[in-house]
Structures are given as C-alpha cells and as structure tokens.
Amino acid sequence: MNAQELIESGNLELYVAGSLSVEEATEVEDAIEEHPEVKKQVELIEDSVITLAEAVSPPLSALIWSQILDNIRKVRTLSERKPSTNWGAITGWAATILAFAGIFWMLKEKNDLQDRVQYTTTQNTVLEEKAENAESQLAEANDVLDIVRSKEYNSYTLPGNQAVAPQAYAKVYVNKKDKIAYIDASGLPEPPRGKVYQVWSLTMQPLTPTSVGLLDTYSESETLLFRIDMGQVAATEAFGITLEPEGGSETPTMNQLYTLGEVTL
C-alpha cells in the first residue's frame, strides 16, 4: 500500500484513535517515517481530535492534566524495534479523559440547574404565603373599618391610669343591640411575659366588676382589635383593663389598672 492509498484507506484515523492491530499500527509508523505527507496527515488528524475534544469539554483542572500525563508516560511503542512514542494511543487517552471530564461537567451543570429550580420553587411558595397573609390582613383591616364606621357601634375612649400607665389608652366600640363590644388595644403597651390584659365591665353603685374577656392573643394580633361578648352582663357603666397573670383573675388587680372609662349604654 503506497502513501496515497494509506491516506485514503482510513487507517490513519484508526491509528490516531488507537484502534489498529499491532501489525497495522507498525505499517503506519513505517509509512510515517518514510513519507512526510503521511506524517503530516497524521498530525492533522491528531490536531483535529484534540481540538474537538477541547471544544466539548470544560477547562481541565491541574489534577486531570496530571492524570493525563501519568497515562501518557505509561504508553509504550507497539514495536520493540522502534523507540518512538505511540501518538495514537496518547491521543486516544487524552480524548477519552477529556470526554469524561465533559460528562462530569454536564452532570454538575444538571445538578446546579436542579438546585436553582428547587430554590425558585421555594421562593415562589414563600411569596404565595406572604400574598395570602397580606390578603388576610387586608380583609381583617376592612372588617375593622366596617366596625368603626358602622352606625350600630358607639365608640368610647378609656384613658390611662395616671398612677400606673399615664400614656396608655384604649378604645371600645359597643353594639348595644347585639351586646357585642370591640376593644382597640393599640394604645396599650405590650404585656410582659407571663401577663395578660383582662377586660372588666363595671357598675358603679355599688362598684361591681365582671370579667368579659382576656386579650390573650395580643402578640399574635395584627390589628389589636378584640371582640368581647357582652351577653352575660346585665348592665355596664364603665370599662376597665387590668394586667393580670396568664389565665386571668377572679377579681381585678387594682394596682395594675391600666385604663378606665365610663360608657353610656
């Protein structure tokens, strides 16, 4: 087989890929030494393979290049009578390692993409929950406005006790017909741990306090507006709010009276 026939046979590509038998590889190596055009063709094929491998693979770390060099050093000539390097085997090793590096890079990219998708899904869930909370708060705020503006409710201010909390105050909205009251506690300081505000309905002569509810969800409330059922109260001439231990008290703790105000029912 002359030089041109060898070039056109496809054996040079197989030689570069390391797929020829020992006899066929020896024949190619002999032709490389004897015919410059064969040698040039082999070099062109090697350059094309390496360029293709680099194009589909990410930059290699120093560790991977070290592994490539270690494998190259282990390559021996196919013919003991020739001390030349087996470039076909070397190129095959390099292309294989580059291909594996590309596969690992693509797997990493896939995992990173999955992580980003999961993060985006989580963020969307958080945003949906915030939107639902905002809608709930808006609905609650609208309910508050309906109560305040309704002609069915009369409003009263409960001033702060000058001896206990002079800056404190509360407002009460009372529906005499339905015997329902709403306490606006936004003017009260946040109760300390282990304490709760308790609302009292008072008659003045004689002074008789009746507990009508605890503001025990103060820390969770967005509006600080609390509904009080007045159905069990025969008459109310004033409202007082005291600070009591959690669970409330049987009678008001007068030295912890925060607000007190008369009402006309």
Side-chain angles (χ1 to χ4, degrees):
M1 186 181 298
N2 59 36
Q4 187 60 34
E5 290 174 344
L6 182 59
I7 292 173
E8 295 175 355
S9 68
N11 282 356
L12 298 185
E13 287 79 1
L14 296 176
Y15 172 77
V16 170
S19 300
L20 291 180
S21 65
V22 174
E23 292 78 8
E24 291 172 325
T26 301
E27 181 183 355
V28 172
E29 290 176 355
D30 289 339
I32 290 173
E33 291 184 0
E34 295 175 6
H35 304 287
E37 63 271 27
V38 175
K39 180 179 180 181
K40 182 178 180 180
Q41 185 66 25
V42 170
E43 291 173 348
L44 289 174
I45 295 171
E46 291 172 348
D47 290 341
S48 298
V49 171
I50 292 175
T51 300
L52 177 61
E54 290 177 344
V56 299
S57 301
L60 295 179
S61 65
L63 176 61
I64 293 177
W65 275 116
S66 176
Q67 293 173 345
I68 293 174
L69 292 176
D70 286 344
N71 282 291
I72 288 174
R73 294 189 185 101
K74 296 176 183 178
V75 175
R76 297 292 182 266
T77 60
L78 294 174
S79 175
E80 295 182 358
R81 63 186 180 85
K82 298 186 187 306
S84 60
T85 304
N86 188 342
W87 289 107
I90 292 173
T91 305
W93 272 107
T96 301
I97 294 174
L98 287 170
F100 273 112
I103 291 171
F104 285 125
W105 176 75
M106 286 187 289
L107 289 176
K108 180 180 181 301
E109 287 294 300
K110 178 184 177 183
N111 291 335
D112 290 344
L113 179 60
Q114 289 176 337
D115 290 341
R116 289 195 293 270
V117 170
Q118 180 63 39
Y119 175 78
T120 301
T121 302
T122 302
Q123 289 296 99
N124 289 340
T125 301
V126 172
L127 290 175
E128 288 174 0
E129 291 177 354
K130 288 183 177 180
E132 290 176 359
N133 290 338
E135 290 177 0
S136 176
Q137 292 172 16
L138 179 60
E140 188 174 358
N142 288 333
D143 290 342
V144 172
L145 290 175
D146 290 342
I147 292 169
V148 173
R149 293 170 177 171
S150 173
K151 65 181 181 179
E152 302 295 331
Y153 286 84
N154 295 323
S155 65
Y156 304 91
T157 298
L158 310 181
N161 184 353
Q162 296 298 309
V164 177
Q167 302 301 321
Y169 70 92
K171 289 186 177 182
V172 57
Y173 302 91
V174 182
N175 184 323
K176 293 184 291 185
K177 177 182 177 181
D178 296 333
K179 291 189 176 182
I180 296 173
Y182 283 87
I183 302 295
D184 179 1
S186 59
L188 296 174
E190 184 172 355
R193 185 185 297 274
K195 298 289 185 177
V196 64
Y197 287 117
Q198 188 165 358
V199 183
W200 304 89
S201 168
L202 306 172
T203 55
M204 308 308 291
Q205 297 294 333
L207 180 61
T208 305
T210 302
S211 176
V212 290
L214 301 175
L215 310 185
D216 51 1
T217 58
Y218 185 101
S219 59
E220 291 83 20
S221 176
E222 293 290 340
T223 62
L224 295 180
L225 192 72
F226 302 89
R227 186 180 188 276
I228 300 296
D229 186 358
M230 303 290 294
Q232 77 276 23
V233 179
T236 299
E237 297 176 352
F239 281 102
I241 299 177
T242 59
L243 187 66
E244 306 290 347
E246 284 185 350
S249 301
E250 292 292 330
T251 58
T253 304
M254 297 309 296
N255 62 0
Q256 291 296 307
L257 179 64
Y258 272 64
T259 64
L260 177 65
E262 294 184 359
V263 298
T264 302
L265 299 181

